Amino acid sequence: MSLSMLSKPFLWKWERSEKMSRHLLSLAELTTEEAKEILNLSLILKKTRREKLLKMCSGMSAALIFEKPSTRTRVSLDVALSGLGAVPVILSTSEMQLSRGEDLKDTARVLSRYVDAIVARVFKHETLEELAKYSNVPVVNALSDVYHPLQAIADVLTIYEGKNKVEGIKLAYIGDGNNVCHSLIIASALYSMDIRVSTPQGYEPKKEVVKIAENICSNGFSYAWFPVPEKAVKDVDVVYTDTWISMGSEEEKVERLEAFKDWQVNVDLMSKAKSDAIFMHCLPAHKGEEVTDEVFESKNSVVFDQAENRLHTARAVFIFLWKEVG
Ligand code: CP
Ligand code: NVA
């Protein structure tokens, strides 16, 4: 077979994948300008009619690898990519040769030859780092034990819609200093928010993450940790919580339920925030644990707007990551 028999799009894809390597393992990989660009793009995409989006990423494809369960991330990414004309290939690790011992670095190199992005939800953040090391195409974090960047971008869009601004917003995160909390801390630095975190002792966010956020150095960012939730929520615009038992921590259930019992977001706690404070949760929620049903269902709860925004922001992320090669 001569080279001339190969179609042009094939050659184009090959050359492109050789030079691409922009990853999104955490929001710290974005500049403040890029973070704002993604937010603006999300706002535009949300208002754009679906038919107009259809060709924006046609010819592109992404492998979506899931080591853990997912509803929002999996469906929003699938619909976002398909809606842009790209092909999503959803893979559960149990169905891949990875489960039979194939090297992660070989998997990364093989997938890079087929698709234009590798999106992965993993137990260990190091798995994403290894994928990124060996992938020629962008690797996107769909949740690891350390970060959940796609969630935080959707959260920022939701805050913008709920409060008409992001800069200067006072946000209280109550509960476990986990992946969602870490990404919100970085997002607060990128978008100039004032984040107050309250966790039980021993469940604080990682110091390295706070340092990374402080180094982003945007005007208006501030971070503080409080030993009691009442102090953290005082006069804030946003109250945010997440599960006390993240995927992978199930064995600690009994001790965690005990440790976190005073960190529940209930009507009494919400009453200490501003009267128009919004309640946020990345979902899935465990009602009666980190939040009461009353707060979850209250008029100030924006949890379903937040879930919807996963779709609009996912579109923006792919357009942003792929714009260099479009
Ligand atoms: N918020 C979130 O990532 O939800 P899923 O686990 O359902 O994807
Ligand atoms: N912190 C949770 C988020 C789920 C979307 C977890 O990692 O399970």
Side-chain angles (χ1 to χ4, degrees):
M1 185 166 71
S2 73
L3 260 185
S4 61
M5 289 172 74
L6 290 171
S7 67
K8 265 198 178 137
F10 183 91
L11 277 177
W12 171 77
K13 189 166 180 163
W14 173 265
E15 285 158 12
R16 178 164 39 92
S17 63
E18 286 300 296
K19 50 181 177 143
M20 277 180 59
S21 60
R22 181 84 200 250
H23 304 300
L24 189 62
L25 305 195
S26 94
L27 292 182
E29 280 147 343
L30 300 174
T31 63
T32 50
E33 289 71 30
E34 287 171 336
K36 280 172 197 148
E37 183 186 334
I38 293 175
L39 177 61
N40 288 336
L41 191 53
S42 305
L43 281 162
I44 294 167
L45 292 170
K46 188 164 179 176
K47 287 191 212 126
T48 307
R49 296 212 334 254
R50 283 187 209 173
E51 315 83 84
K52 293 207 163 172
L53 303 177
L54 260 173
K55 289 192 180 147
M56 290 191 83
C57 295
S58 62
M60 307 301 269
S61 55
L64 313 180
I65 304 174
F66 288 88
E67 281 185 358
K68 300 180 184 177
S70 170
T71 299
R72 281 141 288 269
T73 306
R74 184 177 158 151
V75 178
S76 64
L77 290 172
D78 191 348
V79 175
L81 286 158
S82 321
L84 295 170
V87 176
V89 183
I90 300 183
L91 299 157
S92 148
T93 37
S94 61
E95 296 158 350
M96 296 172 75
Q97 295 290 11
L98 270 174
S99 67
R100 298 178 60 250
E102 184 169 18
D103 279 351
L104 193 60
K105 62 182 180 185
D106 296 350
T107 305
R109 287 179 286 186
V110 168
L111 291 178
S112 298
R113 302 286 180 111
Y114 298 143
V115 295
D116 303 290
I118 301 172
V119 184
R121 169 168 284 200
V122 297
F123 281 99
K124 288 189 176 3
H125 195 72
E126 294 78 27
T127 304
L128 290 168
E129 289 171 343
E130 175 94 345
L131 281 172
K133 188 169 168 195
Y134 289 97
S135 167
N136 286 326
V137 297
V139 173
V140 178
N141 181 356
L143 181 147
S144 69
D145 54 340
V146 188
Y147 290 116
H148 196 3
L150 296 178
Q151 180 66 52
I153 298 172
D155 298 341
V156 173
L157 174 60
T158 314
I159 291 170
Y160 180 80
E161 290 173 335
K163 295 279 142 206
N164 289 317
K165 63 172 190 169
V166 177
E167 214 175 309
I169 284 294
K170 291 182 175 48
L171 168 105
Y173 177 93
I174 307 300
D176 188 16
N178 62 12
N179 44 8
V180 168
C181 176
H182 289 157
S183 284
L184 280 172
I185 292 171
I186 307 275
S188 300
L190 285 170
Y191 294 96
S192 304
M193 293 189 285
D194 171 348
I195 184 163
R196 296 128 192 243
V197 174
S198 179
T199 69
Q201 288 196 356
Y203 296 95
E204 300 89 346
K206 286 178 187 288
K207 286 199 173 69
E208 307 90 270
V209 173
V210 175
K211 251 200 189 101
I212 290 170
E214 282 165 355
N215 285 339
I216 288 172
C217 185
S218 68
N219 292 331
F221 166 64
S222 74
Y223 166 84
W225 177 84
F226 295 86
V228 286
E230 290 74 15
K231 289 231 162 92
V233 299
K234 193 173 181 313
D235 296 330
V236 296
D237 304 290
V238 181
V239 179
Y240 196 123
T241 191
D242 180 21
T243 182
W244 296 338
I245 303 151
S246 284
M247 291 177 276
S249 309
E250 291 81 358
E251 281 178 8
E252 298 166 26
K253 184 170 179 176
V254 174
E255 64 201 75
R256 281 178 168 266
L257 287 180
E258 177 59 26
F260 284 98
K261 64 180 190 319
D262 295 332
W263 274 262
Q264 182 185 67
V265 178
N266 50 34
V267 170
D268 186 39
L269 192 66
M270 283 301 290
S271 72
K272 312 252 178 332
K274 283 186 183 158
S275 58
D276 61 352
I278 54 175
F279 169 72
M280 297 182 70
H281 192 311
C282 60
L283 306 184
H286 306 79
K287 297 163 204 173
E289 292 180 16
E290 73 272 9
V291 61
T292 58
D293 193 54
E294 206 176 351
V295 169
F296 187 88
E297 299 292 347
S298 68
K299 64 174 179 22
N300 291 18
S301 169
V302 293
V303 296
F304 296 108
D305 296 328
Q306 205 180 338
E308 178 189 332
N309 284 337
R310 293 294 306 274
L311 173 64
H312 308 296
T313 49
R315 286 185 176 135
V317 166
F318 285 104
I319 292 171
F320 171 80
L321 287 174
W322 284 337
K323 70 179 175 189
E324 306 291 327
V325 289

